[in-house]
Amino acid sequence: MEAEIERLFDHKPQAYTEEHFRLFDEFKYALNHGRIRAAEPDRAAPSGWRVNGWVKKGILLGFRMGGVVDMSIDARRQPFFDKSTYPVKHLSTHSGIRVVPGGSSIRDGVFIGKGVTCMPPMYINVGAYVDDGTMVDSHALVGSCAQIGKNCHISAASQIGGVLEPVGALTVIVEDEVLIGGNCGVYEGAVVKKRAVLGTGTILNRSTPVYDLVRGVVHKATDEEPLIIPEEAVLVAGARAITAGPGRDWGLSVYTPVIIKYRDNRTDTKIQLEDLLR
């Protein structure tokens, strides 16, 4: 399949044939069932993950192939116009997930594991992978190709950034048992390792360093590698003083995330409610 997707993506035919659509349907079926992923674990990579660029190309191919169609149940009361290749994901009671009513949407081409809970309104975009037992809370977004591990909690109004282009760019990775607090944002290919906790309002991206008060180091993205948050780190939104120029004279500070501790029994006790909500 990989070679066929690469060939079709590069050649850009004037008209797509029935065979092309058959290939794309097979590709999307594999995405829906987690058989292929935009990124997957790789112990040899410094981040622990590698990008499958051809999968991103396949997703982009779907946008190129599809035309905008009316998929509304009632176009006057709730209009729904989108690419014909990307309707909402088909779900049933056999899917083993909870989608609480109130305006949530999951696009086709998403893997959703067993026991996932979707609280309204939330949105999961194409290419995302959400593993077993995770909760996606109200007003949360899981962006295109984002990879979410088992038993995570993506709290209310949090944004897990997506990326389709460039196809070689690492997607946002949130590993198993991570708690993303309310109004957090994880962007630009950041990797949050297992059992980390992001306190309310924490923002992670490539340009903002993370100060580790416990280990006395500063975590940064480089040209080659993303920002990587260590396992079991507990982060809060912090600030660092501007030490030169008018900013210093005015007593200004800029935002930075801070690792204030690593997860312990007390931290686990505070988030036990997550198990009860699932």
Side-chain angles (χ1 to χ4, degrees):
M1 183 185 293
E2 178 177 352
E4 293 173 290
I5 291 291
E6 292 273 11
R7 190 180 308 114
L8 185 56
F9 185 85
D10 291 337
H11 286 174
K12 300 180 182 178
Q14 293 296 315
Y16 293 101
T17 67
E18 184 177 332
E19 184 65 17
H20 294 147
F21 282 98
R22 180 200 60 77
L23 172 63
F24 179 72
D25 286 343
E26 290 180 3
F27 170 81
K28 197 166 56 173
Y29 181 90
L31 270 181
N32 279 318
H33 290 80
R35 296 177 184 175
I36 59 174
R37 302 171 63 169
E40 60 186 288
D42 182 356
R43 291 184 179 180
S47 67
W49 291 80
R50 77 167 184 271
V51 176
N52 292 323
W54 75 272
V55 175
K56 290 187 181 182
K57 287 182 179 180
I59 294 170
L60 289 168
L61 187 60
F63 287 103
R64 188 190 298 167
M65 293 173 65
V68 176
V69 296
D70 185 351
M71 292 185 269
S72 310
I73 297 175
D74 184 329
R76 291 178 62 87
R77 295 183 179 181
Q78 191 172 9
F80 174 19
F81 310 109
D82 202 356
K83 292 283 189 171
S84 58
T85 44
Y86 288 118
V88 294
K89 183 179 177 68
H90 175 72
L91 297 170
S92 71
T93 54
H94 299 294
S95 303
I97 74 171
R98 294 169 57 202
V99 181
V100 181
S104 295
S105 185
I106 303 170
R107 211 171 197 173
D108 204 17
V110 168
F111 173 79
I112 302 289
K114 299 294 185 183
V116 169
T117 301
C118 301
M119 300 298 291
M122 58 98 245
Y123 184 69
I124 304 176
N125 208 350
V126 61
Y129 186 104
V130 182
D131 215 334
D132 299 350
T134 284
M135 175 179 283
V136 183
D137 220 328
S138 303
H139 298 282
L141 165 70
V142 178
S144 56
C145 299
Q147 307 290 298
I148 310 296
K150 290 180 169 65
N151 301 318
C152 295
H153 189 143
I154 313 301
S155 295
S158 289
Q159 307 283 295
I160 308 300
V163 61
L164 280 170
E165 295 185 282
V167 293
L170 184 62
T171 64
V172 171
I173 308 293
V174 177
E175 294 188 351
D176 297 348
E177 298 183 45
V178 169
L179 173 61
I180 306 291
N183 287 290
C184 288
V186 186
Y187 307 111
E188 298 173 351
V191 177
V192 183
K193 305 298 279 185
K194 294 179 180 179
R195 290 175 50 80
V197 177
L198 273 58
T200 301
T202 302
I203 306 295
L204 303 177
N205 56 41
R206 291 190 65 86
S207 59
T208 307
V210 176
Y211 287 78
D212 190 334
L213 302 182
V214 179
R215 297 177 178 174
V217 297
V218 181
H219 304 280
K220 297 179 179 180
T222 68
D223 291 340
E224 294 78 27
E225 297 299 332
L227 173 67
I228 301 174
I229 302 302
E231 290 188 13
E232 302 197 328
V234 179
L235 288 78
V236 297
R240 56 192 173 100
I242 296 174
T243 58
R248 177 193 59 191
D249 299 336
W250 295 335
L252 299 181
S253 299
V254 294
Y255 164 79
T256 191
V258 177
I259 297 176
I260 56 167
K261 61 182 287 187
Y262 281 77
R263 197 158 166 173
D264 55 22
N265 291 336
R266 184 176 178 185
T267 310
D268 291 341
T269 299
K270 287 183 178 180
I271 60 176
Q272 277 180 351
L273 179 61
E274 312 305 322
D275 294 331
L276 300 175
L277 292 174
R278 290 194 176 96

